[in-house]
Amino acid sequence: MIVLLGASGYVGRAFGSELQRRGWAFTSVSRSDLDYGRFEVLLGFLRETRPAFLINAAGYTGKPNVDACEDARADTLQGNSLFPQTVAHACLEASVPWGHVSSGCIFSGAKISQSGTVRIEKDLTRPDLRELAERHPEQIHGYTEEDTPNFTFRQPPCSFYSGSKGLGEEAIEGIGRHYAWRLRIPFDQQDNSPNYLTKIQRYAKVYENVNSISHRGDFARACLDLWDKRAPFGIYNVTNPGFITTRQVVGQIEKILKPNRKFEFWKDDPEFYRVAAKTPRSNCVLDVSKLLSAGVKIRSVDEAIEASLRDWKKEEAA
């Protein structure tokens, strides 16, 4: 039996759906039924139920976006830094292996290979780098699990959200048997406020950048495949292979959904941060070679985006 924490959240629901599809026995634990944020409560529950595996999809993301975390710093630290450590110690004491939904938002930029050299560029909003990403994608390389995060409290500036997720990975490092699954900008075919594709369509203006992103269902499947295959524990970047620019996503939305609007982009970073954002945003490319080497199959980002838009389901009115 598998224990699922955070089952009511955007990513947690994807895990629940995938577990049901596979026919794997699991139980979703809600805070209203069990105060699992307390170590002794969670440990007692694990010793009583003796699950084969635990999934932690709980955390604090802020609504409608990470700007909200700047105004709820205690809750953000509790949900993204302290709570994972509580889970890690409880699972260690109960001898339960587990998986933690981490974030790739602890990185900024990508590795650029040109003229036989490789360098890190943290700001992919530069016109020359955006053009490089579209015309010569083979020269853009992602960060691996061996690279040190560069968008955290230890390497500022960063958002409070990204800083707290970086601390979360540090807090569980070396404690018990666990996976840290790095998610990036979730999306799928269901119109929903946390969905990246929904956000782009609802924004008055679009923020142009280059990113690795994660199809929500693909992410859950890949994470569970790692456990099913008994892949070595550790950190895994779990995004759809490749990367995509915001302008390419908008182009697909216009081509497939044909919305009755012309998308506008922010003129530059200063305008975006002056008008629309409180805190720096993580925009980055991640390398998924480790995930693929473990035998996990996952669609490319272009395939996942196109399929999501072709199968687009509008959000039902309340």
Side-chain angles (χ1 to χ4, degrees):
M1 185 266 290
I2 292 174
V3 167
L4 175 59
L5 305 180
S8 63
Y10 186 57
V11 177
R13 295 197 299 274
F15 274 107
S17 296
E18 180 61 18
L19 288 166
Q20 287 182 333
R21 188 189 72 81
R22 296 181 183 220
W24 291 5
F26 74 100
T27 181
S28 300
V29 183
S30 68
R31 289 183 183 271
S32 59
D33 296 328
L34 183 79
D35 188 8
Y36 56 72
R38 294 170 53 199
F39 170 77
E40 65 276 10
V41 173
L42 180 58
L43 177 59
F45 174 77
L46 295 178
R47 283 176 168 167
E48 179 183 350
T49 57
R50 301 177 64 184
F53 191 64
L54 179 144
I55 298 167
N56 175 35
Y60 194 90
T61 58
K63 294 179 180 179
N65 55 46
V66 295
D67 283 339
C69 295
E70 304 297 315
D71 299 322
R73 295 191 170 192
D75 290 336
T76 302
L77 278 177
Q78 173 59 39
N80 298 339
S81 307
L82 300 177
F83 177 63
Q85 189 175 55
T86 297
V87 176
H89 284 290
C91 285
L92 175 64
E93 290 297 316
S95 297
V96 175
W98 67 293
H100 170 61
V101 177
S102 186
S103 174
C105 293
I106 56 179
F107 286 95
S108 181
K111 299 175 184 178
I112 312 297
S113 63
Q114 287 179 316
S115 304
T117 63
V118 178
R119 70 183 189 276
I120 289 177
E121 291 284 359
K122 293 185 68 173
D123 182 7
L124 297 178
T125 64
R126 280 173 27 196
D128 61 316
L129 294 179
R130 291 203 306 266
E131 183 179 357
L132 183 70
E134 293 193 356
R135 294 192 176 185
H136 298 285
E138 72 280 359
Q139 295 182 14
I140 309 289
H141 305 281
Y143 296 106
T144 72
E145 292 82 355
E146 301 300 316
D147 290 315
T148 300
N150 64 356
F151 194 73
T152 65
F153 293 143
R154 299 191 186 280
Q155 291 201 37
C158 69
S159 67
F160 201 83
Y161 170 79
S162 291
S164 72
K165 294 299 284 190
L167 285 181
E169 281 199 5
E170 291 184 26
I172 64 177
E173 184 178 1
I175 303 176
R177 299 170 293 158
H178 73 269
Y179 299 105
W181 301 311
R182 286 176 176 164
L183 173 78
R184 278 284 293 152
I185 313 181
F187 71 96
D188 65 5
Q189 68 280 359
Q190 181 61 59
D191 187 13
N192 197 301
S193 56
N195 185 340
Y196 172 57
L197 297 178
T198 295
K199 290 180 178 181
I200 286 183
Q201 294 177 72
R202 293 181 182 177
Y203 287 149
K205 288 186 177 181
V206 182
Y207 181 43
E208 187 171 2
N209 222 297
V210 182
N211 277 296
S212 289
I213 57 181
S214 304
H215 182 281
R216 188 169 59 133
D218 292 356
F219 174 82
R221 282 188 289 275
C223 293
L224 292 178
D225 281 347
L226 285 171
W227 166 242
D228 194 29
K229 294 175 181 296
R230 298 303 188 266
F233 293 108
I235 299 171
Y236 287 84
N237 296 332
V238 187
T239 65
N240 293 87
F243 59 85
I244 197 162
T245 69
T246 314
R247 201 168 287 275
Q248 287 170 333
V249 175
V250 167
Q252 288 290 77
I253 291 173
E254 291 177 333
K255 174 184 175 183
I256 297 172
L257 298 185
K258 298 180 175 61
N260 295 319
R261 61 171 285 194
K262 187 66 178 176
F263 287 88
E264 295 183 51
F265 289 81
W266 295 104
K267 180 178 67 175
D268 50 29
D269 257 26
E271 182 186 53
F272 172 70
Y273 285 111
R274 185 175 66 252
V275 178
K278 292 182 180 179
T279 188
R281 295 296 197 265
S282 162
N283 297 281
C284 68
V285 178
L286 298 181
D287 184 296
V288 294
S289 297
K290 182 179 179 181
L291 179 74
L292 300 178
S293 296
V296 174
K297 291 180 171 57
I298 184 169
R299 294 178 292 182
S300 73
V301 65
D302 293 323
E303 291 177 293
I305 285 286
E306 181 176 352
S308 295
L309 292 173
R310 293 199 181 281
D311 296 334
W312 191 249
K313 298 177 178 63
K314 289 292 293 181
E315 187 174 37
E316 296 181 1

